[in-house]
Amino acid sequence: MGGKQRGVTVWFTGLSGAGKTTIAKCVHTRLTNAGLKAECLDGDVIRTKLCNDLGFSKQDRHTNIERVSYVAQLLTKHDVICLASLISPYRSMRQYAKEEIGDWLEVYVTAPLELLIARDVKGLYRKAIAGEILHFTGISDPYEPPLAPDLVLETDQQDVQACAQHVIDLLANRGYITRG
Ligand code: ADP
């Protein structure tokens, strides 16, 4: 990687606990260590700030994606590598993001649901299964897997570093960063 880059949003989609944030952070570290400009837009963080008024109804999820897409589009336009990790369960909403942002790569982060329930990083699956959280994607709300993602990362098969490397390779192969 050299100092050259072109703006793009890498959109990590997948169920809670699949590994979106962990991989995005690892990619961010690698890019910034190489002197490149990158920014993370993390769904969980954004819901405590820009979108702290929103819940998980379909309408609110759509508004969430609209706001994040707006910010991602600005960063992308200014040649930042934007790493957006959001469950974003509906194809139509990811399509919206793609159209708004333009330079957009879809990365599907996935692992078997049983493993996600076993990991239960945030303790949310236990609550969702107990019926304490409604509209929980994968348990009581739908998830529509990408039909033609730019990259699939199976986090039960490969560790974080290997997954991050695939993202870096994708960015290089599509000409968004130059290898140096
Ligand atoms: P998400 O952002 O998709 O909700 P997180 O990144 O918060 O998921 O949590 C994923 C969990 O899975 C973390 O505890 C992480 O350490 C673990 N994990 C195990 N293997 C991987 C992998 N290959 N990639 C990403 N995370 C992994």
Side-chain angles (χ1 to χ4, degrees), residues 15-23 119 121-122 155 158-160:
L15 296 179
S16 177
K20 302 178 297 296
T21 298
T22 306
I23 296 166
R119 276 184 190 160
V121 193
K122 301 157 206 167
T155 62
Q158 292 189 298
D159 67 15
V160 179

Side-chain angles (χ1 to χ4, degrees), residues 12-26 42-44 85-87 109-111 115-116 119-122 124-125 153-164:
F12 297 90
T13 175
L15 296 179
S16 177
K20 302 178 297 296
T21 298
T22 306
I23 296 166
K25 281 185 181 165
C26 185
D42 185 80
D44 289 342
S85 29
L86 299 105
I87 297 172
V109 183
T110 183
L115 178 62
L116 303 185
R119 276 184 190 160
D120 209 5
V121 193
K122 301 157 206 167
L124 297 175
Y125 281 99
L153 297 174
E154 294 176 312
T155 62
D156 58 321
Q157 305 288 330
Q158 292 189 298
D159 67 15
V160 179
Q161 295 297 334
C163 291

